Amino acid sequence: GAVVSQHPSWVICKSGTSVKIECRSLDFQATTMFWYRQFPKQSLMLMATSNEGSKATYEQGVEKDKFLINHASLTLSTLTVTSAHPEDSSFYICSATSPTTGDSYEQYFGPGTRLTVT
Amino acid sequence: EDQVTQSPEALRLQEGESSSLNCSYTVSGLRGLFWYRQDPGKGPEFLFTLYSAGEEKEKERLKATLTKKESFLHITAPKPEDSATYLCAVRRGRRALTFGSGTRLQVQP
């Protein structure tokens, strides 16, 4: 149980275009989802926290107009990278948590999405 | 501000050579210390959650322990398939996890 999927697993886009990444909780309802970014050989850095039906909370230094997050349902959150630039190339990972899982604050991670902007 | 420091940054072991990874943390109101395993190009895989000093948890060749200032991940008789990056993270309240930079473990046959 507690499986999180991401789509796509990798994507290449041209500079200036937008890319949408989906994060789904497959067998539980996720009241809260988190989006992380990971650069090569570095750890995960939290970008934003999203609660179903409300606006996302962004971490300091993360541009909310560039990284649009939508959490429209209890099983789906999307991250849209708008006007992507090469420096946005990274590994994007989502996680989900729900009070219905064993540990009410346990986070389950998706497999990640590799974004390359050319 | 929550801080998590992992050491060593990288560790190379021979198969069967036991060792420990360290995670030092500073957080007010700790609501869990987490260990994850991450393989290249994949998301973190949950290993353990520890909640209070003195707590220990085991899974196969791995054992995690917790004190008030640090946690250790002990690896007994490691195998090549244990090669991965091991991440430590802390949670305060309902906030997201704060991760350390990880320890890249390589186990040679």
Side-chain angles (χ1 to χ4, degrees):
Chain A
V3 178
V4 176
S5 70
Q6 283 184 239
H7 179 78
S9 57
W10 60 270
V11 57
I12 301 173
C13 71
K14 292 186 177 180
S15 185
T17 62
S18 295
V19 175
K20 180 183 286 187
I21 301 170
E22 294 184 347
C23 176
R24 293 181 184 273
S25 55
L26 299 184
D27 51 3
F28 66 102
Q29 293 184 326
T31 51
T32 303
M33 287 185 170
F34 303 93
W35 286 94
Y36 294 84
R37 180 167 52 183
Q38 186 176 36
F39 292 106
K41 295 190 176 181
Q42 294 187 25
S43 194
L44 284 74
M45 297 298 293
L46 179 67
M47 297 176 66
T49 301
S50 73
N51 293 294
E52 186 267 336
S54 60
K55 290 184 178 180
T57 302
Y58 291 80
E59 294 298 300
Q60 191 172 8
V62 178
E63 301 175 58
K64 59 181 66 177
D65 293 332
K66 181 171 184 61
F67 299 99
L68 302 179
I69 292 173
N70 183 279
H71 192 165
S73 77
L74 286 172
T75 59
L76 174 64
S77 176
T78 60
L79 167 67
T80 301
V81 183
T82 63
S83 187
H85 288 98
E87 56 264 33
D88 298 325
S89 299
S90 187
F91 193 51
Y92 293 86
I93 307 173
C94 73
S95 70
T97 187
S98 167
T100 60
T101 55
D103 176 340
S104 62
Y105 305 121
E106 185 56 76
Q107 285 189 35
Y108 300 92
F109 284 84
T113 296
R114 172 74 59 192
L115 170 63
T116 301
V117 184
T118 62
Chain B
E1 183 179 337
D2 302 341
Q3 288 192 336
V4 181
T5 303
Q6 290 188 247
S7 62
E9 183 176 319
L11 181 63
R12 182 178 296 180
L13 299 174
Q14 291 296 124
E15 184 173 2
E17 179 186 2
S18 301
S19 187
S20 296
L21 313 183
N22 177 265
C23 172
S24 299
Y25 65 91
T26 303
V27 60
S28 58
L30 179 72
R31 293 296 299 272
L33 183 138
F34 299 78
W35 283 98
Y36 288 87
R37 168 191 171 129
Q38 186 177 27
D39 293 300
K42 296 188 178 181
E45 174 188 343
F46 172 76
L47 294 175
F48 304 107
T49 308
L50 302 168
Y51 293 101
S52 58
E55 189 174 0
E56 299 182 351
K57 288 190 177 178
E58 287 187 70
K59 179 181 179 181
E60 296 181 354
R61 295 178 292 281
L62 301 176
K63 178 180 178 180
T65 63
L66 181 65
T67 72
K68 290 185 178 180
K69 294 183 178 181
E70 57 190 352
S71 176
F72 292 93
L73 183 65
H74 307 278
I75 303 177
T76 302
K79 298 181 177 181
E81 53 262 41
D82 294 323
S83 298
T85 295
Y86 290 85
L87 299 169
C88 170
V90 297
R91 184 184 68 210
R92 171 163 49 91
R94 294 191 178 193
R95 288 180 56 80
L97 301 178
T98 299
F99 281 87
S101 55
T103 294
R104 293 190 304 279
L105 173 65
Q106 184 178 1
V107 181
Q108 295 182 318

